[in-house]
Amino acid sequence: MPRFAANLTMMFNERPFLDRFAAAADAGFTAVEFLFPYDHAPDVVAAKLRAAGLTQALFNMPPGDWAAGERGIAALPGREAEFDAGVDTALTYAEATGVKRLHMMAGLVPADDPAANAAYRRAASVAAEKLAAKGLDLLLEPINGRDMPGYFLNDFDKAAEIIAGLKLPNVKLQYDVYHRQIIHGDVLVSLEAMLPIVGHVQIASVPKRNEPNTGELNDSAIFAALDRLGYDGFVGCEYRPAGVTEDGLGWLQPHLTR
Ligand SMILES: O=C(O)C(=O)[C@@H](O)CO
Ligand SMILES: [Mg+2]
């Protein structure tokens, strides 16, 4: 049975962020993920997790100026000092929340820019080393160019090549089924082939990014494949509910363990 994590950036957002933890637990989730915790103090986020009895599955390292349109800075030449400081900030939140994996957003820069490629690999190795010292994994996620035009890491094979080239055991692939289907398709075969490097899975319908099993993919078959392949990580529910979050949770009921 996959271990589902509610994505609190997209789900339960009928209420303020800090109230979403309890709502997720009330709905039956035992784990959560979100984009960023940085608007709240680490101990405040940790207290919400604890009070709701939830495990923190994932969040992202600081992404630069999100409000101004930045989508990560790992591949942006000249932003190295800011990136390295952001890793330390993320680790402060990791210690408070107990999360075991962090995602590093690349940024908006051409994928074939040599300086961007060098910056990205440098960032990954610096972050991986700092995370390894704390027992955490670093995740790299390809994101489709329709949702995020100009995003540096827009190809699963490139992500796999970077991971292989780094030769650092705690650098893993964040396999978002939604992005995979839009970029390449071939979800089940690639999931099996890439499973040895997968550190986190995310799910949403395609093309609308709504609840599982409401789009062109058979998400139940993907969940069954994850079980059959022995995937024991989390499956982040990174979808936008089509209506009120709780009204769309019928898909989850067969998977609840409590
Ligand atoms: O857009 C996605 O997909 C994500 O997983 C975001 O969290 C960007 O990291
Ligand atoms: Mg994702």
Side-chain angles (χ1 to χ4, degrees), residues 35 60 103 105 141 143 148 174 176 179 202 209 238:
L35 282 183
N60 294 346
H103 172 225
M105 291 194 76
E141 179 190 36
I143 293 181
M148 216 173 268
Q174 184 164 319
D176 188 322
H179 295 305
Q202 291 174 320
R209 210 171 196 179
E238 196 180 25

Side-chain angles (χ1 to χ4, degrees), residues 25-123:
D26 286 348
F29 285 97
T30 55
V32 294
E33 61 172 36
F34 41 71
L35 282 183
F36 310 112
Y38 309 109
D39 285 345
H40 306 279
D43 57 325
V44 172
V45 179
K48 290 291 176 187
L49 273 171
R50 261 197 315 275
L54 292 163
T55 299
Q56 184 73 42
L58 173 82
F59 56 83
N60 294 346
M61 297 194 288
D65 191 344
W66 186 269
E70 290 193 316
R71 293 294 179 265
I73 56 173
L76 303 192
R79 301 291 287 276
E80 289 82 358
E82 181 185 348
F83 175 83
D84 295 356
V87 178
D88 296 336
T89 301
L91 282 172
T92 306
Y93 282 82
E95 189 170 0
T97 59
V99 76
K100 293 293 174 207
R101 58 202 68 72
L102 297 173
H103 172 225
M104 175 182 95
M105 291 194 76
L108 307 179
V109 62
D112 59 357
D113 179 330
N117 278 278
Y120 188 73
R121 284 170 175 79
R122 187 212 73 92

Side-chain angles (χ1 to χ4, degrees), residues 148-163:
M148 216 173 268
Y151 192 71
F152 172 81
L153 191 62
N154 58 9
D155 184 285
F156 276 64
D157 293 332
K158 176 167 179 165
E161 267 171 42
I162 291 172
I163 291 168

Side-chain angles (χ1 to χ4, degrees), residues 2-244:
R3 289 191 288 164
F4 292 103
N7 185 299
L8 299 186
T9 303
M10 290 194 179
M11 300 176 71
F12 300 103
N13 62 15
E14 297 85 358
R15 46 186 75 67
F17 179 73
L18 292 176
D19 295 342
R20 296 176 199 167
F21 294 81
D26 286 348
F29 285 97
T30 55
V32 294
E33 61 172 36
F34 41 71
L35 282 183
F36 310 112
Y38 309 109
D39 285 345
H40 306 279
D43 57 325
V44 172
V45 179
K48 290 291 176 187
L49 273 171
R50 261 197 315 275
L54 292 163
T55 299
Q56 184 73 42
L58 173 82
F59 56 83
N60 294 346
M61 297 194 288
D65 191 344
W66 186 269
E70 290 193 316
R71 293 294 179 265
I73 56 173
L76 303 192
R79 301 291 287 276
E80 289 82 358
E82 181 185 348
F83 175 83
D84 295 356
V87 178
D88 296 336
T89 301
L91 282 172
T92 306
Y93 282 82
E95 189 170 0
T97 59
V99 76
K100 293 293 174 207
R101 58 202 68 72
L102 297 173
H103 172 225
M104 175 182 95
M105 291 194 76
L108 307 179
V109 62
D112 59 357
D113 179 330
N117 278 278
Y120 188 73
R121 284 170 175 79
R122 187 212 73 92
S125 73
V126 167
E129 194 178 320
K130 288 187 181 203
L131 268 58
K134 304 285 183 189
L136 272 72
D137 286 343
L138 175 72
L139 297 176
L140 312 184
E141 179 190 36
I143 293 181
N144 82 77
R146 186 166 69 210
D147 285 22
M148 216 173 268
Y151 192 71
F152 172 81
L153 191 62
N154 58 9
D155 184 285
F156 276 64
D157 293 332
K158 176 167 179 165
E161 267 171 42
I162 291 172
I163 291 168
L166 285 166
K167 294 190 174 52
L168 297 169
N170 69 322
V171 183
K172 303 213 169 126
L173 179 69
Q174 184 164 319
Y175 188 111
D176 188 322
V177 170
Y178 170 79
H179 295 305
R180 173 74 207 192
Q181 172 68 0
I182 292 170
I183 300 171
H184 309 282
D186 204 18
V187 170
L188 288 181
V189 169
S190 68
L191 192 53
E192 179 161 6
M194 293 184 162
L195 201 75
I197 60 164
V198 170
H200 190 67
V201 172
Q202 291 174 320
I203 194 88
S205 75
V206 182
K208 289 190 171 171
R209 210 171 196 179
N210 293 148
E211 282 83 352
N213 282 332
T214 62
E216 69 198 39
L217 289 175
N218 181 345
D219 293 297
S220 298
I222 295 169
F223 302 152
L226 287 169
D227 282 346
R228 181 172 49 77
L229 297 170
Y231 174 71
D232 63 357
F234 291 97
V235 175
C237 302
E238 196 180 25
Y239 68 80
R240 288 184 209 93
V244 174

